[in-house]
Amino acid sequence: MGDKNEVSFDPKEHQHLRYNPLRDSWVLVSAHRMKRPWAGQVEKPPEKHVPRYDPSNPLCPGNTRASGKVNANYESTFLFENDFPALQPHAPDPVSDQHPLFQSKAARGVCKVMCFHPWSDITLPLMKKQEVIKVINEWAGLIEELGATYPWVQIFENKGAVMGCSNPHPHCQVWASNFLPHEPALSDIHQRAYYQKHGEPLLLQYARLETERKERVVVENSDWLAVVPYWATWPYQMLLLPRRHVLRLTDLTTEEREGLADIMKSLLTKYDNLFEISFPYSMGWHGAPTGPHLKEDNSHWQLHAHYYPPLLRSATVKKFMVGYEMLAQDQRDLTPEQAAEKLRNLPTEHYKIRENPDEGGRQGKECIGK
C-alpha cells in the first residue's frame, strides 16, 4: 500500500536504469540533471569555412599524401589503402606458450580509406541522393570483397574534429580483421540468445515495436527506421534499422539502397539542424559476420548502423564519458524520448539552405537534389 503522498514515476524527472539487450548491460538515466547549470569545458565551434579544394589536404583529388602516394583526380568515390594502418595482412604469431594473465593472439587485416566526394566542403546530407547511393554501393562492394576472406569488416565514419577527424573531407574508414572484435562479438552472442528464446531476430522485433510506439522514432520511410534507442547512452545516439530481415549490406535491394540514401540524408540534415553546425559523430555498420561465418546460419542477425554523436547542450557542450561512466556504468541525462522529440520536430530543409538562398540554389542543384 503506497503512501497518499507517494510521487508517481516520471522518466523525465526520476532516475532509473534501462537495459541494452545488444550488450547485456544497463544505462543510468538521470534526466533531472539537465536542469543543472553548466560551467565546464566549451569546445571551439567548428570551422565555418572549409575550402572546396585545399592543396595541403591529403584527401583531395590529385594531392600527395604523407606516404608520397598521389591521389587520383577522382570525381566520385575514391578508395585507397590506409597509409598508417592499424592492421596489416602479414604479421608473425605471438608465442603459443603464455601465462593465463598475459595472453595474446594473432591480429591481421587490412585498413582502407574511402572518400565520399571530391569536394572538401560537402558532407553526406548535402550530397545528391545518387551520390549517397554510390557510397552505399561501395560499402556493399567492400563487404563482399573483404568479407570473402575476413570474419569482420568494420565500416565507420568519424565526422568532425571533436571525434578525432583531422582532415575536413567527407570520408570513412574500412578495417577488415581476422578476428571478431569485442562489440560485434557481444552483439552476436545476445542476438543469438534472443533468437533462440523468442524465435525472431531481436532488432527485427525491436523495429516493429518502435514503429508502433513512435515516441523514439526520428525519421522513417517504407524500408528504414531511425530511432533513438530505448537504451541509448549518448545524448542523440541513433539506431538505423531496415524493416525487412537483412543480414548484411550486400543483401539490400536497389529500392532499399535508395531508401537508405533518403533516410541518411534526412537524419543527418536533422543532426546538422539541431545546433546549426556540421554535427560531429562516429557511426558504423554492424551486420552478420563474414569470412568463415558465411557458411553458418546467421538468422539471428539484423543489419543496423549505430550513430554516436557527443554533443549534449549546444554546439559547444558535449557529453563526457568520464568518472562514473568509466568506473561504474554508462549514464545519460536527456531521456531518449526527449532527444527523439527534439530531432523529430526539426525542419527537413538543411539550415545552410535556409541561411543562404543563393548558396542553397547552387548546392540544391549540385549537391542536395534527389
Side-chain angles (χ1 to χ4, degrees):
M1 300 226 278
D3 187 316
K4 272 201 241 179
N5 298 319
E6 186 177 344
V7 178
S8 298
F9 172 74
D10 182 349
K12 299 188 295 295
E13 295 291 338
H14 304 127
Q15 68 265 18
H16 59 284
L17 297 170
R18 294 194 183 191
Y19 180 64
N20 181 345
L22 290 176
R23 304 188 79 255
D24 189 30
S25 62
W26 294 83
V27 57
L28 172 62
V29 182
S30 311
H32 58 281
R33 281 168 50 88
M34 287 298 289
K35 297 174 183 177
R36 67 193 170 109
W38 176 259
Q41 181 177 342
V42 174
E43 298 294 327
K44 179 183 176 182
E47 190 68 39
K48 286 285 186 183
H49 175 71
V50 175
R52 178 155 297 179
Y53 170 79
D54 181 349
S56 65
N57 189 327
L59 298 182
C60 284
N63 285 0
T64 301
R65 306 196 302 274
S67 63
K69 295 180 180 177
V70 180
N71 296 335
N73 285 306
Y74 62 96
E75 297 180 351
S76 180
T77 58
F78 174 56
L79 182 72
F80 62 91
E81 300 285 338
N82 194 315
D83 296 321
F84 303 99
L87 291 164
Q88 297 176 319
H90 306 293
D93 288 355
V95 295
S96 56
D97 184 19
Q98 300 178 30
H99 189 281
L101 297 180
F102 301 98
Q103 298 185 52
S104 58
K105 295 195 298 185
R108 300 185 184 90
V110 295
C111 298
K112 297 178 182 285
V113 177
M114 188 180 94
C115 296
F116 298 153
H117 198 281
W119 297 352
S120 294
D121 62 344
I122 197 171
T123 54
L124 284 168
L126 294 172
M127 287 166 56
K128 293 178 183 178
K129 177 179 174 178
Q130 288 304 318
E131 292 170 338
V132 180
I133 291 173
K134 174 71 172 173
V135 170
I136 294 165
N137 288 338
E138 289 294 324
W139 284 342
L142 286 164
I143 295 292
E144 183 172 18
E145 175 194 343
L146 299 174
T149 304
Y150 291 101
W152 190 254
V153 181
Q154 184 60 66
I155 295 168
F156 64 97
E157 178 193 5
N158 294 326
K159 179 171 176 264
V162 73
M163 301 309 294
C165 180
S166 55
N167 296 306
H169 193 95
H171 70 285
C172 71
Q173 297 190 53
V174 185
W175 294 14
S177 61
N178 71 332
F179 57 91
L180 195 59
H182 179 68
E183 290 299 321
L186 266 182
S187 186
D188 181 67
I189 290 169
H190 299 302
Q191 286 185 86
R192 186 187 300 276
Y194 193 92
Y195 183 78
Q196 291 173 344
K197 183 174 182 179
H198 300 280
E200 183 177 14
L202 185 160
L203 288 174
L204 189 63
Q205 186 179 87
Y206 178 71
R208 188 175 69 252
L209 292 172
E210 287 287 24
T211 300
E212 294 169 359
R213 300 186 183 198
K214 297 293 184 187
E215 59 186 336
R216 284 173 293 274
V217 176
V218 174
V219 287
E220 60 182 323
N221 59 30
S222 58
D223 294 311
W224 294 89
L225 183 74
V227 303
V228 180
Y230 178 78
W231 52 82
T233 298
W234 293 94
Y236 296 97
Q237 184 174 328
M238 200 67 54
L239 190 59
L240 182 54
L241 295 161
R243 295 188 187 276
R244 180 177 69 90
H245 187 198
V246 179
L247 297 186
R248 304 176 182 91
L249 281 166
T250 48
D251 299 325
L252 294 175
T253 65
T254 299
E255 292 75 17
E256 286 167 336
R257 295 180 192 204
E258 292 175 353
L260 176 55
D262 282 331
I263 203 165
M264 284 174 60
K265 282 171 58 64
S266 297
L267 170 61
L268 299 179
T269 293
K270 285 181 177 288
Y271 266 172
D272 284 4
N273 284 345
L274 180 62
F275 300 130
E276 296 198 342
I277 58 162
S278 187
F279 204 68
Y281 58 75
S282 281
M283 71 79 63
W285 285 98
H286 280 183
T290 50
H293 304 285
L294 290 169
K295 298 176 182 177
E296 300 171 358
D297 181 6
N298 286 289
S299 300
H300 57 289
W301 264 92
Q302 174 73 331
L303 175 71
H304 58 284
H306 294 284
Y307 286 82
Y308 299 124
L311 297 183
L312 172 60
R313 293 167 178 259
S314 71
T316 58
V317 177
K318 69 178 183 179
K319 166 71 176 176
F320 288 91
M321 291 293 188
V322 296
Y324 189 85
E325 290 91 342
M326 295 179 73
L327 297 167
Q329 69 177 45
D330 292 340
Q331 183 273 335
R332 66 176 288 124
D333 296 342
L334 189 71
T335 70
E337 296 75 29
Q338 290 170 323
E341 183 178 16
K342 284 190 177 186
L343 291 170
R344 188 168 54 242
N345 292 336
L346 289 168
T348 54
E349 182 181 46
H350 200 280
Y351 76 93
K352 286 188 175 181
I353 308 307
R354 299 196 310 273
E355 283 182 351
N356 190 339
D358 292 336
E359 179 75 4
R362 177 180 62 76
Q363 288 192 339
K365 291 174 186 175
E366 297 181 0
C367 311
I368 301 182
K370 293 184 178 181

PDB file of all heavy atoms in Angstrom, residues 127-142:
ATOM      1  N   MET A 127      24.958  16.047 -50.075  1.00  0.00           N
ATOM      2  CA  MET A 127      25.241  15.389 -51.351  1.00  0.00           C
ATOM      3  C   MET A 127      23.945  15.019 -52.064  1.00  0.00           C
ATOM      4  O   MET A 127      22.891  14.893 -51.442  1.00  0.00           O
ATOM      5  CB  MET A 127      26.106  14.143 -51.120  1.00  0.00           C
ATOM      6  CG  MET A 127      27.549  14.469 -50.759  1.00  0.00           C
ATOM      7  SD  MET A 127      28.506  13.061 -50.078  1.00  0.00           S
ATOM      8  CE  MET A 127      28.327  11.825 -51.377  1.00  0.00           C
ATOM      9  N   LYS A 128      24.034  14.836 -53.369  1.00  0.00           N
ATOM     10  CA  LYS A 128      22.882  14.358 -54.123  1.00  0.00           C
ATOM     11  C   LYS A 128      22.530  12.945 -53.681  1.00  0.00           C
ATOM     12  O   LYS A 128      23.397  12.177 -53.252  1.00  0.00           O
ATOM     13  CB  LYS A 128      23.189  14.332 -55.618  1.00  0.00           C
ATOM     14  CG  LYS A 128      23.402  15.681 -56.267  1.00  0.00           C
ATOM     15  CD  LYS A 128      23.733  15.472 -57.736  1.00  0.00           C
ATOM     16  CE  LYS A 128      24.027  16.800 -58.425  1.00  0.00           C
ATOM     17  NZ  LYS A 128      24.406  16.608 -59.837  1.00  0.00           N
ATOM     18  N   LYS A 129      21.280  12.601 -53.831  1.00  0.00           N
ATOM     19  CA  LYS A 129      20.847  11.249 -53.466  1.00  0.00           C
ATOM     20  C   LYS A 129      21.650  10.198 -54.225  1.00  0.00           C
ATOM     21  O   LYS A 129      22.089   9.199 -53.647  1.00  0.00           O
ATOM     22  CB  LYS A 129      19.350  11.084 -53.744  1.00  0.00           C
ATOM     23  CG  LYS A 129      18.830   9.676 -53.457  1.00  0.00           C
ATOM     24  CD  LYS A 129      17.341   9.570 -53.724  1.00  0.00           C
ATOM     25  CE  LYS A 129      16.858   8.129 -53.570  1.00  0.00           C
ATOM     26  NZ  LYS A 129      15.411   8.005 -53.774  1.00  0.00           N
ATOM     27  N   GLN A 130      21.860  10.401 -55.526  1.00  0.00           N
ATOM     28  CA  GLN A 130      22.599   9.416 -56.315  1.00  0.00           C
ATOM     29  C   GLN A 130      24.040   9.284 -55.853  1.00  0.00           C
ATOM     30  O   GLN A 130      24.637   8.209 -55.948  1.00  0.00           O
ATOM     31  CB  GLN A 130      22.533   9.783 -57.805  1.00  0.00           C
ATOM     32  CG  GLN A 130      21.178   9.556 -58.446  1.00  0.00           C
ATOM     33  CD  GLN A 130      20.683   8.113 -58.285  1.00  0.00           C
ATOM     34  OE1 GLN A 130      21.440   7.163 -58.431  1.00  0.00           O
ATOM     35  NE2 GLN A 130      19.413   7.963 -57.957  1.00  0.00           N
ATOM     36  N   GLU A 131      24.605  10.372 -55.328  1.00  0.00           N
ATOM     37  CA  GLU A 131      25.971  10.302 -54.806  1.00  0.00           C
ATOM     38  C   GLU A 131      26.018   9.488 -53.518  1.00  0.00           C
ATOM     39  O   GLU A 131      26.977   8.746 -53.272  1.00  0.00           O
ATOM     40  CB  GLU A 131      26.495  11.724 -54.569  1.00  0.00           C
ATOM     41  CG  GLU A 131      26.713  12.502 -55.854  1.00  0.00           C
ATOM     42  CD  GLU A 131      27.010  13.977 -55.625  1.00  0.00           C
ATOM     43  OE1 GLU A 131      26.648  14.506 -54.548  1.00  0.00           O
ATOM     44  OE2 GLU A 131      27.601  14.602 -56.526  1.00  0.00           O
ATOM     45  N   VAL A 132      24.984   9.619 -52.697  1.00  0.00           N
ATOM     46  CA  VAL A 132      24.919   8.825 -51.465  1.00  0.00           C
ATOM     47  C   VAL A 132      24.705   7.350 -51.809  1.00  0.00           C
ATOM     48  O   VAL A 132      25.290   6.460 -51.180  1.00  0.00           O
ATOM     49  CB  VAL A 132      23.816   9.341 -50.530  1.00  0.00           C
ATOM     50  CG1 VAL A 132      23.753   8.511 -49.251  1.00  0.00           C
ATOM     51  CG2 VAL A 132      24.052  10.814 -50.173  1.00  0.00           C
ATOM     52  N   ILE A 133      23.877   7.075 -52.808  1.00  0.00           N
ATOM     53  CA  ILE A 133      23.677   5.683 -53.252  1.00  0.00           C
ATOM     54  C   ILE A 133      24.996   5.082 -53.716  1.00  0.00           C
ATOM     55  O   ILE A 133      25.292   3.906 -53.441  1.00  0.00           O
ATOM     56  CB  ILE A 133      22.617   5.615 -54.375  1.00  0.00           C
ATOM     57  CG1 ILE A 133      21.230   5.960 -53.814  1.00  0.00           C
ATOM     58  CG2 ILE A 133      22.587   4.230 -55.018  1.00  0.00           C
ATOM     59  CD1 ILE A 133      20.152   6.089 -54.879  1.00  0.00           C
ATOM     60  N   LYS A 134      25.813   5.876 -54.389  1.00  0.00           N
ATOM     61  CA  LYS A 134      27.130   5.408 -54.827  1.00  0.00           C
ATOM     62  C   LYS A 134      27.978   4.999 -53.623  1.00  0.00           C
ATOM     63  O   LYS A 134      28.656   3.963 -53.645  1.00  0.00           O
ATOM     64  CB  LYS A 134      27.816   6.528 -55.618  1.00  0.00           C
ATOM     65  CG  LYS A 134      29.254   6.250 -56.011  1.00  0.00           C
ATOM     66  CD  LYS A 134      29.369   5.192 -57.086  1.00  0.00           C
ATOM     67  CE  LYS A 134      30.810   5.087 -57.583  1.00  0.00           C
ATOM     68  NZ  LYS A 134      30.988   3.952 -58.514  1.00  0.00           N
ATOM     69  N   VAL A 135      27.925   5.791 -52.561  1.00  0.00           N
ATOM     70  CA  VAL A 135      28.656   5.460 -51.333  1.00  0.00           C
ATOM     71  C   VAL A 135      28.149   4.133 -50.763  1.00  0.00           C
ATOM     72  O   VAL A 135      28.935   3.252 -50.394  1.00  0.00           O
ATOM     73  CB  VAL A 135      28.500   6.588 -50.284  1.00  0.00           C
ATOM     74  CG1 VAL A 135      29.052   6.154 -48.925  1.00  0.00           C
ATOM     75  CG2 VAL A 135      29.201   7.859 -50.764  1.00  0.00           C
ATOM     76  N   ILE A 136      26.832   3.976 -50.702  1.00  0.00           N
ATOM     77  CA  ILE A 136      26.230   2.744 -50.170  1.00  0.00           C
ATOM     78  C   ILE A 136      26.648   1.536 -51.003  1.00  0.00           C
ATOM     79  O   ILE A 136      26.995   0.473 -50.463  1.00  0.00           O
ATOM     80  CB  ILE A 136      24.693   2.882 -50.123  1.00  0.00           C
ATOM     81  CG1 ILE A 136      24.286   3.952 -49.102  1.00  0.00           C
ATOM     82  CG2 ILE A 136      24.028   1.544 -49.797  1.00  0.00           C
ATOM     83  CD1 ILE A 136      22.852   4.419 -49.223  1.00  0.00           C
ATOM     84  N   ASN A 137      26.633   1.686 -52.312  1.00  0.00           N
ATOM     85  CA  ASN A 137      27.042   0.585 -53.190  1.00  0.00           C
ATOM     86  C   ASN A 137      28.512   0.225 -52.981  1.00  0.00           C
ATOM     87  O   ASN A 137      28.880  -0.962 -53.020  1.00  0.00           O
ATOM     88  CB  ASN A 137      26.785   0.952 -54.649  1.00  0.00           C
ATOM     89  CG  ASN A 137      25.306   0.955 -55.001  1.00  0.00           C
ATOM     90  OD1 ASN A 137      24.496   0.322 -54.326  1.00  0.00           O
ATOM     91  ND2 ASN A 137      24.935   1.673 -56.047  1.00  0.00           N
ATOM     92  N   GLU A 138      29.341   1.239 -52.767  1.00  0.00           N
ATOM     93  CA  GLU A 138      30.754   0.975 -52.496  1.00  0.00           C
ATOM     94  C   GLU A 138      30.920   0.244 -51.169  1.00  0.00           C
ATOM     95  O   GLU A 138      31.744  -0.666 -51.040  1.00  0.00           O
ATOM     96  CB  GLU A 138      31.542   2.286 -52.483  1.00  0.00           C
ATOM     97  CG  GLU A 138      31.704   2.936 -53.848  1.00  0.00           C
ATOM     98  CD  GLU A 138      32.554   2.119 -54.802  1.00  0.00           C
ATOM     99  OE1 GLU A 138      33.528   1.478 -54.337  1.00  0.00           O
ATOM    100  OE2 GLU A 138      32.243   2.091 -56.005  1.00  0.00           O
ATOM    101  N   TRP A 139      30.145   0.650 -50.158  1.00  0.00           N
ATOM    102  CA  TRP A 139      30.183  -0.064 -48.879  1.00  0.00           C
ATOM    103  C   TRP A 139      29.850  -1.541 -49.070  1.00  0.00           C
ATOM    104  O   TRP A 139      30.553  -2.411 -48.558  1.00  0.00           O
ATOM    105  CB  TRP A 139      29.180   0.558 -47.904  1.00  0.00           C
ATOM    106  CG  TRP A 139      29.593   1.858 -47.298  1.00  0.00           C
ATOM    107  CD1 TRP A 139      30.858   2.381 -47.235  1.00  0.00           C
ATOM    108  CD2 TRP A 139      28.733   2.788 -46.622  1.00  0.00           C
ATOM    109  NE1 TRP A 139      30.834   3.582 -46.569  1.00  0.00           N
ATOM    110  CE2 TRP A 139      29.556   3.870 -46.178  1.00  0.00           C
ATOM    111  CE3 TRP A 139      27.377   2.832 -46.349  1.00  0.00           C
ATOM    112  CZ2 TRP A 139      29.030   4.955 -45.487  1.00  0.00           C
ATOM    113  CZ3 TRP A 139      26.861   3.917 -45.655  1.00  0.00           C
ATOM    114  CH2 TRP A 139      27.682   4.971 -45.227  1.00  0.00           C
ATOM    115  N   ALA A 140      28.769  -1.797 -49.801  1.00  0.00           N
ATOM    116  CA  ALA A 140      28.351  -3.187 -50.033  1.00  0.00           C
ATOM    117  C   ALA A 140      29.436  -3.957 -50.780  1.00  0.00           C
ATOM    118  O   ALA A 140      29.711  -5.130 -50.477  1.00  0.00           O
ATOM    119  CB  ALA A 140      27.038  -3.208 -50.811  1.00  0.00           C
ATOM    120  N   GLY A 141      30.067  -3.295 -51.751  1.00  0.00           N
ATOM    121  CA  GLY A 141      31.137  -3.943 -52.503  1.00  0.00           C
ATOM    122  C   GLY A 141      32.319  -4.311 -51.628  1.00  0.00           C
ATOM    123  O   GLY A 141      32.937  -5.376 -51.801  1.00  0.00           O
ATOM    124  N   LEU A 142      32.636  -3.461 -50.669  1.00  0.00           N
ATOM    125  CA  LEU A 142      33.749  -3.748 -49.758  1.00  0.00           C
ATOM    126  C   LEU A 142      33.418  -4.901 -48.807  1.00  0.00           C
ATOM    127  O   LEU A 142      34.287  -5.718 -48.484  1.00  0.00           O
ATOM    128  CB  LEU A 142      34.094  -2.484 -48.959  1.00  0.00           C
ATOM    129  CG  LEU A 142      34.837  -1.412 -49.756  1.00  0.00           C
ATOM    130  CD1 LEU A 142      34.793  -0.067 -49.035  1.00  0.00           C
ATOM    131  CD2 LEU A 142      36.284  -1.840 -49.992  1.00  0.00           C
TER     132      LEU A 142
END
